[in-house]
Amino acid sequence: MANPLEEAAKLVPDLYYDLIARILPGGSLLTAFVFSLPENALLSAVHAKYGLWFLAFGGYIIGMILTALSSILFDVIVFRLVSLKNLPLAHAIGGQAHYLNIERTVRKHPDQSSRIWKMVAEKVCFENGVITVIVLWLLLPSTPKASEITSTLPLALLGILLAWLLRAISLSGRVDSALGQLTRWKIWRQKLALPKDLSSDSKSD
């Protein structure tokens, strides 16, 4: 018979991931559209009737779509562009090795699993937030309320990208440290450093 506490431990990270990575950005997108539409619009009427339940379930469905789009943008396009420059940031963005290392860390250090998945959820939340801003910029209707939202989008995008970058680097560093690996940032710095022979020759000259 399964231990209820063990089952709860498995369930809570999943719920947290859904809440942070999917419902939060999906609900934000849905709320922005409801706010920008006239009160007699169908979407506004549904929100007025069901309230929080509408935002939660609708946000979850939209969040799933946002996750698929952000995976294409970050895990495929951005990852490959950064990989061409051989920067350590590529390891932090995504790729097969990145996700395999996360799974290995969770299995090797179960006491850190909640923290690791929390960081993963926050990273995906920021990625979905970028897609949310793009969708709002492209699809918001031409209304005075929508104009108020549109004016804040550039600053919101900058803040989300900065938060995503910091969270991605932090997650990558924690995973590498937990696995006892030399972090990609140190490896990159070592590649840029001159060999001792060359550095000594340059000094003698």
Side-chain angles (χ1 to χ4, degrees):
M1 186 175 181
N3 188 333
L5 293 179
E6 293 180 355
E7 294 300 318
K10 296 178 181 178
L11 182 61
V12 171
D14 291 338
L15 291 176
Y16 184 89
Y17 186 94
D18 288 337
L19 176 63
I20 298 300
R22 292 170 180 155
I23 296 178
L24 182 58
S28 299
L29 177 61
L30 193 56
T31 301
F33 271 102
V34 170
F35 176 79
S36 63
L37 292 173
E39 295 183 359
N40 59 352
L42 176 61
L43 197 63
S44 300
V46 174
H47 173 256
K49 183 175 181 179
Y50 296 103
L52 185 60
W53 289 107
F54 169 69
L55 293 179
F57 286 103
Y60 179 78
I61 295 173
I62 294 175
M64 295 286 288
I65 300 174
L66 294 176
T67 301
L69 295 175
S70 66
S71 296
I72 296 173
L73 176 61
F74 286 93
D75 291 335
V76 178
I77 300 176
V78 176
F79 174 72
R80 290 184 177 178
L81 290 176
V82 177
S83 297
L84 292 176
K85 299 296 183 179
N86 198 26
L87 297 176
L89 182 60
H91 171 73
I93 292 176
Q96 184 177 6
H98 172 68
Y99 295 106
L100 288 176
N101 283 340
I102 291 175
E103 293 288 348
R104 288 173 56 200
T105 302
V106 171
R107 290 196 300 267
K108 185 177 180 180
H109 303 281
D111 56 312
Q112 298 187 27
S113 62
S114 297
R115 177 61 179 168
I116 293 294
W117 288 123
K118 177 178 179 292
M119 297 174 73
V120 172
E122 292 166 351
K123 175 175 174 287
V124 176
C125 176
F126 295 135
E127 292 171 353
N128 289 346
V130 172
I131 301 297
T132 297
V133 172
I134 296 174
V135 171
L136 290 176
W137 184 272
L138 295 174
L139 300 182
L140 272 181
S142 300
T143 63
K145 291 183 178 180
S147 306
E148 297 178 18
I149 299 175
T150 304
S151 63
T152 65
L153 292 182
L155 184 59
L157 180 60
L158 179 62
I160 293 171
L161 284 173
L162 179 60
W164 165 78
L165 179 62
L166 294 175
R167 177 50 73 204
I169 294 174
S170 176
L171 173 61
S172 177
R174 177 176 286 268
V175 169
D176 285 343
S177 298
L179 294 178
Q181 297 178 350
L182 186 63
T183 64
R184 299 302 188 277
W185 310 97
K186 292 181 180 178
I187 294 174
W188 187 58
R189 288 199 298 268
Q190 289 179 357
K191 288 182 178 179
L192 294 179
L194 286 173
K196 292 183 179 179
D197 295 339
L198 293 178
S199 60
S200 60
D201 291 342
S202 62
K203 290 181 181 178
S204 60
D205 293 340

